[in-house]
Structures are given as structure tokens and as C-alpha cells.
Amino acid sequence: MRLSLLTFSLSLFFFSLLPLSALSRLVLTQEDLKDASSSSFPPSDEDPISSDSSSSDWEDFDSSETKRDDELDPGSWRPIFEPDDTDSKPNTESELVYYSGVSKMVSAASSGEPRLMEEAAAEIEASAEEGNAHAQSALGFLYYIGMARERNKGKGFLYHSFAADGGNAQSKMALAYTYLRQDIHEKAVKLYAELAVIAVNSFLISKDSPVIETVRIHNGAEENMDALRKSRGEDDEDFQILEYQAQKGNSDAMYKIGLFYYFGLRGLRRDHPKALSWFLRAVEKGEPRSMELLGEIYARGAGVERNHTKALEWLMLASKQQLYSAYNGMGYLYVKGYGVEKKNYTKAKEYFEKAADNQEAGGHYNLGVLYLKGIGVKRDVKLACKYFIFAANAGQPKAFYQLAKMFHTGVGLKKSLPTATALYKLVAERGPWSSLSRWALESYLKGDVGKAFLLYSRMAELGYEVAQSNAAWILDKYGGHSMCIGESGFCSDVERHQRAHSLWWQASEQGNEHAALLIGDAYYYGWGTERDYHRAAEAYMHAKSQSNAQAMFNLGYMHEHGQGLPYDLHLAKRYYDQALEIDPAAKLPVTLALTSLWIRKNYADTFLVELIDSLPQVYPKVDAWVENVLLEEGNATILTLFVCLLTVLYLHEWQRRNAIAAAGEVALPQQPVDQVQDQNMN
């Protein structure tokens, strides 16, 4: 199952909303694009798309006051990681116990104290028994991962179900992902749709919000040093240079620093007052993007008192600087009637058209909403679909949301629950719970691997592929450093391998080729599971489908030796050749493998084949001897001399044999011609 790959023909190539997958596509056929002009909307109580065009609510934004992240994501761990004076305080005893338990859980993961983890689990369980939905969600996580509780996915699912019924958004994410893995799209699509609405309501009104990156901390088996270097926040040398430039009056640098603080990018903690300060300094120098973001800030009341009149003023100033995305915010205010005398759909449409005419994805999206809903225009679903496709092609996340609804309801597009589910998931993963990735990365960069592992594990349960691979990689790399807490005390080797195996498997299902390769290795060598060549071959085939050279080489080896795959030297050669085509760096191993094939084909049932087959058993012993005896004693020179001696002896023996063969040819008596003919006749 490839959850991360969708395809749109109609040249709709859109980037996934998280950088966990490179480029996603969704294929729309003519059958998908049914005659939208004849599509009729079901009654409003049945169709989530339909609404009264005269309603004061424009569906994409809530008309109520902007909610804080802790309100959008109730039970969030934000008060522990990013405490703020504006955070709502726990107002019940069970809520106090819940946050105390979570705080101890985080501390235990950080310090590697199983006893403290037991105390944390006990407090969380006590709060859950009192009916606290957020504690039930945390308890479901503990059962899911097998931390201070017996690993029991059934109990984890049960507690998440209770928590979701109580309004916990993260448990809804966990349940939706569980249903998706089981292809129960009817239930998954409903949950992801609810979560996508929350995510959409947190997006900006004039432009797309920057992606909150879930950084992949590894590149294959190695640490991803380049990505980590760019995420060190104020300690990053590039950020310090940028800050120096801003202090010297560079308006572009001022805007970028404000942006980083406003959204918490590049490893920085979110700090709205700092962001506001930098934006105000930038607009003094006429920086238009800062004007637009000030309009956003005042429109949403983010860190300041909401003021739609000021929002419109800043957006108008930005538009006069030819920042066309600002027209989207202005149109939004006229649709809602905020900061203006009254609603004016005609003026809103004009602003959206100005944005669209200048290739602003938000303008196409907003026009799509007008035509889909019939707001100030005649309803035209076909035209709305066209606008949404253009916006999605440009990476507009709200367009993905609208297309998901169209696939969900069958309005404008042929109903497809799997497609709707996948699109909703892309949008939902940008919800406020994605802050977990920022806290996890910050912990990892500070050397707090245990805390990072806990947070990535929580995200992994919610279905984030990058978090799944990050958590698995941390287990494999740091598992022996007392950061893995299991059911009772530190993880045993079996628990650690099983946990890593499960995480890699989930990541491989979502298109992670490195994960699929590691799953194949686990089954091939019996790491954390029983050895199973057939399952290993299946995993390698999955990685091979993503053009992984190592997987192709492994499949060739298995065909060569008949392990989990039919013994077939021709197929083995084909896979070896494909590995070399994909990765030229594989020339040496492929050359050796092809030599092995040639020997196996031409010298079958000889000691040479036996020698080749014995190498996998001999190599580890030789490798250990070299590492423990020669290299550890610093006698690399001895090893070099030994190899040279063997080479000289080999060449001497080769020369001696050639001399004997040449002498034999000279001394060989000629046979009579008729005798040779008689022998040939026989």
C-alpha cells in the first residue's frame, strides 16, 4: 500500500503537504471528471459542501474568534514544551493529574528512568479512569508502544476510541491511520475530514502557511547532517548571519527572521512578539511581505488584539506594492464583511481575479469556492473544479481539501473514498498537532535522544511517515544507550528489535524505500523476527519498485542462491545489471557478483563454487579478526605486507604453471592424421 503516492493526470503534479514525500500525483481520468455541470447538490443536511450563499459563514474560515492551538488541539503537550501565559490552565483535578503524568513521562524518557515512567503511567491511568479524554489518549499511546505497559494494540485502540469520543484530535488521527492501514476507508475518511477542517481553519487567509517541516534526521543509514545543520535555530551560523544583516537594516532579512519566529521555522521557538517587532521594522523600510503578514496577524488576532480595519489597511498597502497574494486577504474580508461597511461579493470576486490573473494559487482557490458555493455568482461545479485543480497544481493545501470533499461526496468528481482519504490525510497532517515534530527535532539537536524518540513515536502513531522512520532510526542507532523504556524497565533486545521492525514496516507502507530495505534485511538475517526469505524477498521487491539499487542487488543474490526466490541465474544477472544502471557506484559489487555468476555457470559442482558459497560465513570471521587483532593493535602495515606476500606468491605460482604448460605443448608428439580421424569417428 503506497499511502504517500497519489496521481492526477491533467498535468496535476502537486507537492505533498509535508516534506516526507517528494512529489505526489493523482491521476484524474475522464471518468473521474464526470459532467459537473449537471451535478446537483444534495440537500444541505446531507452534503458537507452545500451551504446557503447568503449565510454569514464562508465555510473555509470560522466566523468566531481565532482559536489558540491548545483549543484546536485539546490535550496538547504544548504547555510542557512551549509554556505561554495565554495558555488555558487546567481547571479540574483529573486534568492536573494528566499534565503531571505527561510531564513525568517526558522527563522519564529524557533521563532514562523506568521507575519515573511507571509513576507517569500510573498518574495518566488514574486520570483516564476519571474519564479525562486526553489522559485516555496518552494511555492508548503507552499501550500502543509498550512503554510502562504491556504492548497491546487492542487496548490502545480502545482507549483512543474513548478519547476520540471525548474530543481528542490526536486520538482521531491515530484511529484514522489505523483504519487507513486496514483499508477501512468509510471510517478513515470521516475522521480525516474532521481533522482536515481543523487544519484548514488554522491556515492564513491571503497565502499558504509555510510548511512546518518534519525533518528526516537520517539519510539512509547515516545522520542527515545537512538538514540538521539548517534546523539549529539561533545557533545556526546562517541564522546569525541573517540576524546581523537585519540589524544592519536589511529589510529582506528582517522579514525572514519575523517569518521564522512567527511560524517556528528553522528550529526556532515560536515567538509572536518577536515576529511582530521584526515585521514592523521591515515595513518601515517598505517591505511588502511584512505588510501582508501584519494584515494576517490583525485579521486573526494572533498575538495582538484582533482588528479587521487595520488588517485591511496593511493588506491594501501590500497590494499597492504589487504583492498580489494580498488581494486574497482583501477579498476574504469583503466576503465576510469584516473591516468594511458591508459584505460585497462583487468586490471580493474582483480581488480574487486580480490575484488569479497574476498566477496566485490562492486566487484560483478562492474563485473555486465562489463558484462551488454560488457566492455572488451562478453556481458552476465544473468551473470550480478547474480552479481547484490549478490551485492544487501550485501546492495550495486548501485546494487539496476541496478536491478531497469532491471525491468524498461525488460532487463534481467521481466518488472515490480511497482518494478522498489520502487527500484529507495530507491536509490533516498540517494540523496544530504537527508541532510535535518541532519539539522532537529540538530535543534531538540538544542531544536529548530519549525525549526525541518519545515525541517521534507519538507522531508515528498518528501516521507521519517521517516520524516513523526517525523513531526507528533512533532505536537502531541509540537503542543500547538506555533511552528505550519497555514494558518493565529498559527494552530488551527483542523488544527494541520488534519496536524498530514495526516502525520501519509502517514507514515502508507509506513509500519509504530505505525502510522497505531494512525490513527485508530483518527477515533475511532474522533480526528481531524469525528468518523468512520469502518475506525478505517481498520487502526487497517493494523497495525495488522504488528504484532502489541495493534491493535490486539483493534480489539478484537471492535468485543466484535460490533463497526465497527460484534459482535463476538469468534473472539474477538482470537484477545485478539493473542495480548498476540505477547506481553507478555499485560497479565493484556488481562486477564481483557477475564474476560469481560466470563461475557458477561454467564451473558448476566444483570447489570454486563451494569456495564462493562459503564466503558469507568466512567474511564475518575475517572481518572480526582484522578489526580486533590487526587494526586494534595498529598493525595495518603487517596486513599490507601480508597481502603483498600473498600477491607475490600467487604471481610466482601463476608464472610457474604457464611455463609448465608451454613446455608441455612443445614436447607433445604429433599423432598420425589417420589416427586422429579414427578417434574422431569413434
Side-chain angles (χ1 to χ4, degrees), residues 7-247:
T7 52
F8 258 6
S9 76
L10 299 182
S11 65
L12 174 55
F13 292 81
F14 57 84
F15 287 99
S16 101
L17 300 182
L18 289 175
L20 55 93
S21 60
L23 187 64
S24 299
R25 325 175 177 168
L26 178 65
V27 179
L28 284 184
T29 65
Q30 280 302 117
E31 188 178 356
D32 293 319
L33 293 168
K34 67 182 188 180
D35 187 3
S37 60
S38 63
S39 297
S40 59
F41 283 79
S44 60
D45 60 342
E46 298 177 6
D47 176 26
I49 293 182
S50 107
S51 68
D52 181 3
S53 62
S54 64
S55 168
S56 62
D57 289 339
W58 193 28
E59 187 181 41
D60 305 90
F61 297 93
D62 197 320
S63 60
S64 61
E65 291 295 311
T66 300
K67 294 182 179 180
R68 298 187 304 271
D69 282 348
D70 62 322
E71 294 175 305
L72 291 171
D73 183 19
S76 165
W77 298 352
R78 188 178 306 280
I80 297 170
F81 290 95
E82 290 182 352
D84 193 308
D85 294 336
T86 62
D87 287 337
S88 56
K89 305 301 179 184
N91 50 23
T92 65
E93 181 65 25
S94 66
E95 197 169 352
L96 284 169
V97 173
Y98 160 67
Y99 275 111
S100 172
V102 172
S103 180
K104 288 181 179 179
M105 177 177 68
V106 172
S107 297
S110 178
S111 59
E113 297 181 50
R115 184 173 297 179
L116 183 59
M117 184 64 75
E118 288 286 349
E119 292 181 21
E123 289 189 3
I124 290 171
E125 188 167 26
S127 180
E129 289 175 353
E130 292 293 321
N132 186 289
H134 314 314
Q136 291 168 344
S137 178
L139 188 58
F141 166 65
L142 292 177
Y143 275 113
Y144 165 82
I145 196 175
M147 185 179 288
R149 289 291 181 271
E150 177 189 5
R151 191 178 185 197
N152 189 320
K153 291 187 177 180
K155 282 189 176 181
F157 182 86
L158 183 64
Y159 278 111
H160 279 309
S161 298
F162 293 151
D165 289 341
N168 185 277
Q170 293 189 25
S171 280
K172 290 181 181 180
M173 282 286 288
L175 290 176
Y177 178 60
T178 300
Y179 287 132
L180 179 58
R181 291 191 71 200
Q182 298 172 357
D183 291 330
I184 307 176
H185 297 291
E186 296 81 2
K187 293 185 177 181
V189 74
K190 182 179 178 182
L191 289 168
Y192 276 131
E194 294 177 23
L195 295 159
V197 170
I198 297 174
V200 167
N201 284 337
S202 68
F203 294 164
L204 299 183
I205 62 175
S206 66
K207 62 192 297 183
D208 179 26
S209 305
V211 172
I212 307 301
E213 290 190 328
T214 307
V215 175
R216 198 177 298 280
I217 62 176
H218 67 99
N219 184 9
E222 302 299 325
E223 192 172 57
N224 191 352
M225 298 299 296
D226 187 55
L228 295 175
R229 181 187 61 79
K230 296 177 180 178
S231 304
R232 295 187 180 277
E234 295 177 346
D235 295 330
D236 179 27
E237 184 179 344
D238 290 343
F239 177 81
Q240 293 171 358
I241 293 173
L242 192 69
E243 189 174 35
Y244 174 79
Q245 292 173 338
Q247 296 289 3

Side-chain angles (χ1 to χ4, degrees), residues 410-623:
V411 174
L413 294 170
K414 185 179 180 181
K415 188 170 183 177
S416 172
L417 293 186
T419 303
T421 303
L423 286 171
Y424 277 139
K425 180 177 185 287
L426 289 175
V427 180
E429 286 184 344
R430 291 190 69 171
W433 37 86
S434 65
S435 295
L436 287 164
S437 67
R438 188 168 67 249
W439 306 331
L441 180 62
E442 180 182 321
S443 300
Y444 183 81
L445 291 171
K446 289 181 177 179
D448 196 338
V449 179
K451 188 186 293 185
F453 173 71
L454 177 77
L455 292 165
Y456 281 132
S457 296
R458 176 61 162 175
M459 289 190 75
E461 186 189 29
L462 307 188
Y464 289 83
E465 179 273 317
V466 175
Q468 290 163 353
S469 65
N470 283 350
W473 186 80
I474 288 175
L475 271 179
D476 286 343
K477 185 173 179 63
Y478 300 98
H481 292 239
S482 302
M483 44 68 60
C484 178
I485 298 177
E487 176 184 347
S488 178
F490 293 117
C491 292
S492 65
D493 286 343
V494 173
E495 283 181 306
R496 182 167 59 84
H497 280 304
Q498 287 179 343
R499 198 177 289 182
H501 180 85
S502 175
L503 289 164
W504 284 126
W505 187 261
Q506 292 175 56
S508 71
E509 288 179 340
Q510 301 200 77
N512 186 315
E513 64 178 56
H514 178 69
L517 189 65
L518 289 176
I519 289 296
D521 290 345
Y523 279 122
Y524 186 88
Y525 295 106
W527 294 337
T529 185
E530 291 185 9
R531 177 173 287 184
D532 189 327
Y533 289 139
H534 294 288
R535 286 194 173 186
E538 289 176 2
Y540 290 144
M541 288 295 291
H542 186 68
K544 176 253 181 187
S545 67
Q546 300 164 60
S547 300
N548 185 285
Q550 180 66 60
M552 293 175 183
F553 185 91
N554 293 352
L555 289 169
Y557 184 88
M558 295 177 79
H559 271 300
E560 180 183 352
H561 293 83
Q563 296 175 331
L565 293 171
Y567 177 79
D568 191 324
L569 299 184
H570 294 289
L571 277 178
K573 183 179 185 304
R574 182 182 300 175
Y575 279 123
Y576 288 143
D577 290 339
Q578 288 178 354
L580 184 58
E581 289 176 10
I582 295 296
D583 185 4
K587 185 174 183 178
L588 177 59
V590 168
T591 301
L592 294 174
L594 292 175
T595 302
S596 171
L597 282 180
W598 182 84
I599 293 173
R600 198 176 296 277
K601 181 179 179 181
N602 293 281
Y603 293 92
D605 301 324
T606 66
F607 81 96
L608 288 175
V609 174
E610 294 177 4
L611 176 64
I612 292 172
D613 289 339
S614 69
L615 289 178
Q617 287 76 39
V618 173
Y619 172 75
K621 298 177 182 178
V622 174
D623 183 60

Side-chain angles (χ1 to χ4, degrees), residues 620-677:
K621 298 177 182 178
V622 174
D623 183 60
W625 179 74
V626 170
E627 181 178 354
N628 298 328
V629 178
L630 291 181
L631 298 183
E632 208 170 88
E633 295 176 1
N635 292 325
T637 304
I638 295 176
L639 177 62
T640 304
L641 292 173
F642 180 70
V643 171
C644 290
L645 177 61
L646 288 178
T647 304
V648 170
L649 290 173
Y650 170 78
L651 292 174
H652 178 74
E653 180 64 15
W654 178 79
Q655 185 178 20
R656 185 183 68 82
R657 290 183 179 182
N658 283 348
I660 292 174
E665 289 177 3
V666 172
L668 185 65
Q670 291 186 350
Q671 297 181 8
V673 175
D674 57 348
Q675 185 177 346
V676 173
Q677 290 175 343

